[in-house]
Amino acid sequence: MKSFANLFSEIDASTKTRAKVKALEKYFTHAPDQDKLWTIALFSHKRPKRTISTTLLRTWAAEVAKIPTWLFEESYHVVGDLAESISLMVYDGTYFASDKTLTNWINNIQKQRDKEEEEKKEFVIKAWKELNQKEIFLFNKLITGGFRVGVSQKLITKALAKVLNQEENQIAHRLMGNWSPDTTTFESLLIDENIHADLSKPYPFYLAYAIEEDPASLGPISDWQAEYKWDGIRSQIIKRSNEVFLWSRGEELVTDSYPEFTSLKEVAQDGFTIDGELLVIKEGEIQSFNILQKRLGRKKVSKKMLSEYPCAILAYDLLEYEGEDIRNHHLNNRRTLLKELIQKWQSESLDIPIIFSDSIDFESWEQLKSIRSTSREKHAEGLMLKHVNGVYKIGRKKGEWWKWKVDPLTIDAVMLYAQRGHGRRSNLYSDFTFAVWNEAGNLIPFAKAYSGLTDKEFGEITKFVNQNTIERFGPVRSVKPELVFEIAFEGINESKRHKSGVALRFPRIKRWRKDKPASEADTLENLKALLN
Amino acid sequence: MKLIEFTTKGLYCRQADIYIDPWKKVNYAMITHGHSDHARWGHKHYLCVHSSVPILKHRLGAEMNIQGINYDETITINGVKFSFHPAGHITGSAMIRAAYKGEVWVISGDYKIENDGLAEAFEPVKCQHFITECTFGLPVYSWSPQREVIDDINRWWNGNVQNKRPSLITAYSLGKAQRILSSVDTSIGPIYTHGAIDQMNKVYKRMGISLPETTHLKNSFDQKELSKSLIIAPPSTVDSSWGKKIKNPSLGIASGWMTIRGNRRRRGGDRGFVLSDHCDWKGLLTAIKESGAQYIYPTHGNTDTFSQYLNEVGYIARPVKTEYNDNSLNETSVE
């Protein structure tokens, strides 16, 4: 735990990439293999199964700190992180030098699963007594999950590549998929010759940046291919050794939730990986993200669900073909192979819900611009621009792929409720509920948003909230309806569940309208007019 | 009628017609200490302890009418007995005691109970009514002894010297800066300060308080000279054109707010040193207990929460709204 705690401190103490990679390299050189594996897992948000509930942790922490539970909760809202709050309140300045390894701690935590509550309590309180504040924080994190340390997969990949003397691309690929330190070893995950020992292993996604400049600056249009940027879930569908695997962008294996795709087992081809967008497509019509949400996160899917919200993939890239990694082929070639593959299934009248995502014909950037402006009607977020000779890269890279989204919809709204944020924004009011006026002159809440402002602005708002609180509901405060913000969002749908009758897609704060009094904010009527 | 009232101009003693740390202009103000949210400009008469007079004059202007008084000395105004007692917050900080016909109030200003070796050490004062700050009035705030924090700062400074990086540490120009200066290991390297701190150091030195040798870091300097140095600067100057001239510094922030990881990350500091001129949670509770008061009035900080807790454990507490700075987010936050 000591060396893991040191690694954590070093990473946490720096905003510089180089220092972080250096700290990781040092750790990957010295730590025991199983600790390394756990560290990679934890930093990639693969947390061990929770064996002790946070409710219990809260109760015990208040007990150890000798404070009422309401005060514990109040303090937690100020700190914004449960593991950290507990560590600050239970640590009494004394600890024992403990040399248990990270893996040892994790195993001990795992063992608590079937224990009685009293035994769990004894284990946790003993740990809190044994460790120092920083270690208590990490120990709690091992239970609660959610390490946010400012280490991207990219940095881990970089450090591992250096230490293991391998290509970064190789490492990135090896780290994909749903491996767990319980089921694999450092050796087999990162060093073993056979990278496809795990049949289901997906490829790292190539992600695009938003284009900031005029696309005309990209050069001749003949170099570029345009497609709609579909508003669904980015997915990879894999068939290897006659098994089918569906991965979502969050590196989640979701095959069982989408039985539509089991029909792929019937096709003759094997050893391919398709990159595309998962969507609900009913009777040939692409449905909104709002509809797709009815399928997301559901483990079991009823027949009714399947017939009401049938899913399909709009396929736009092919990464593996006939068992061969073809990511280094040009986009044009990959798409030609993809198109042939899908056409073959169609010609055989196989019912495979995978559709080729056509590229858009255009003669000029101007023409493309006007096509882009109609994206929303097609349930697309805008366009994707891809260089026809580009290879399939790893992660977010500039140059050959760009997303060119339509401008968001906007509305001016009044802030009604505020709640303190987490992490970097702990102690700042940063999560807000916004409202618009109805005909009777009442403010109707319609959206929550928490991003889009600077820390300085959040600071100013926090001051306002402190001075203008009307009522407190736990961590939430209702405030005088005075501040007006321009809220941007990607889409709007009718919703019976919401008081306002609408649900927004990805609402965020565009800017603070200091020039507008609350009375001049938009009305519910204005908002609903955007439905069409 | 209570001896001390809470008015829109500040804490007011009607019987004596004086204000304590008022935020609007008044005729007669008693001042607990020199920080700008307590000692404001524009009152006709000021009274503070002798060691606070040069600080007030430096900040508010030499022409201001500022009288000094000794700690523990009593001044009687229309029957009300006032006296000033060490608050341990910064040099010249005091808690003000007011007594009239058996009713005793203490106004704490800002205070800390740990002796930092520089400010006059805190002494508890018995009273019935205690007006207390509670800037860090939550159980998450718990300070390590100053020695340990300073050792940490020394280690960080030493480490930066090895890497040839200047150590830039932020600290409020009155109090915290001198506290750090007087306790770090000066053998590690040379110490530079921002102009505001340099000015304040001169005020301290004129009072006969000895501080280690420092150099005022002006607008032009040789980067190489800084590689072994500790530079002490007010928080707001780090992002100024002056602060940006210091190349590749390791940024340390010395403040009680650094207890919380999110605060440090938000300010982009490399290291947070939990060093405060206020009490931590336990310190506040100790001070309140030692005051012997039944009636507690928390002013700035987490006043609602703190009052609720005090009520639960048997005090009669009521939060008071003041205009003292309780804004943890303000970069220049007085601490």
Side-chain angles (χ1 to χ4, degrees), chain A residues 52 56 170 313 342 416 430 480:
Chain A
I52 301 164
L56 288 176
Q170 277 286 321
I313 283 175
I342 294 171
L416 216 51
S430 67
K480 271 190 210 155

Side-chain angles (χ1 to χ4, degrees), chain A residues 509-524:
Chain A
I509 303 162
K510 194 171 174 206
R511 60 188 167 126
W512 188 350
R513 295 295 307 259
K514 288 187 178 175
D515 56 319
K516 266 199 175 180
S519 58
E520 285 175 29
D522 274 306
T523 61
L524 191 55

Side-chain angles (χ1 to χ4, degrees), chain A residues 279-282 286-296 305 308-311 379 493:
Chain A
L279 293 151
V280 172
I281 301 183
K282 199 174 181 186
I286 295 172
Q287 306 294 308
S288 72
F289 189 83
N290 205 35
I291 304 265
L292 175 61
Q293 269 179 322
K294 299 188 192 295
R295 286 290 300 272
L296 300 182
M305 275 274 166
E308 270 187 53
Y309 311 113
C311 281
H379 289 301
N493 286 98

Side-chain angles (χ1 to χ4, degrees), chain B residues 1-5 12-18 20 30 72-85 95-107 125-131:
Chain B
M1 183 62 60
K2 291 258 170 68
L3 184 57
I4 303 293
E5 295 168 45
Y12 181 55
C13 177
R14 190 171 297 276
Q15 177 65 26
D17 192 24
I18 65 103
I20 293 148
M30 291 185 182
D72 301 326
E73 181 186 336
T74 301
I75 173 175
T76 308
I77 302 172
N78 198 23
V80 186
K81 287 194 166 85
F82 292 97
S83 52
F84 290 62
H85 306 271
M95 298 194 285
I96 297 174
R97 177 183 186 271
Y100 182 67
K101 291 189 177 166
E103 190 178 334
V104 184
W105 289 65
V106 168
I107 296 105
V125 185
K126 294 281 175 208
C127 58
Q128 296 138 9
H129 299 266
F130 188 35
I131 301 177

Side-chain angles (χ1 to χ4, degrees), chain A residues 223-290:
Chain A
D223 283 352
W224 293 89
Q225 172 205 281
E227 314 159 22
Y228 283 110
K229 184 182 184 317
W230 304 112
D231 188 11
I233 300 288
R234 181 87 180 265
S235 302
Q236 244 176 71
I237 191 147
I238 298 171
K239 189 185 175 199
R240 286 183 194 129
S241 298
N242 225 22
E243 277 198 72
V244 177
F245 306 97
L246 179 65
W247 289 93
S248 77
R249 158 78 198 285
E251 281 185 50
E252 212 183 334
L253 192 57
V254 292
T255 322
D256 296 342
S257 306
Y258 302 90
E260 284 97 338
F261 301 99
T262 45
S263 53
L264 267 181
K265 285 190 181 173
E266 292 157 27
V267 309
Q269 295 78 11
D270 196 58
F272 60 83
T273 301
I274 293 169
D275 181 10
E277 200 87 1
L278 181 74
L279 293 151
V280 172
I281 301 183
K282 199 174 181 186
E283 285 146 16
E285 295 280 326
I286 295 172
Q287 306 294 308
S288 72
F289 189 83
N290 205 35

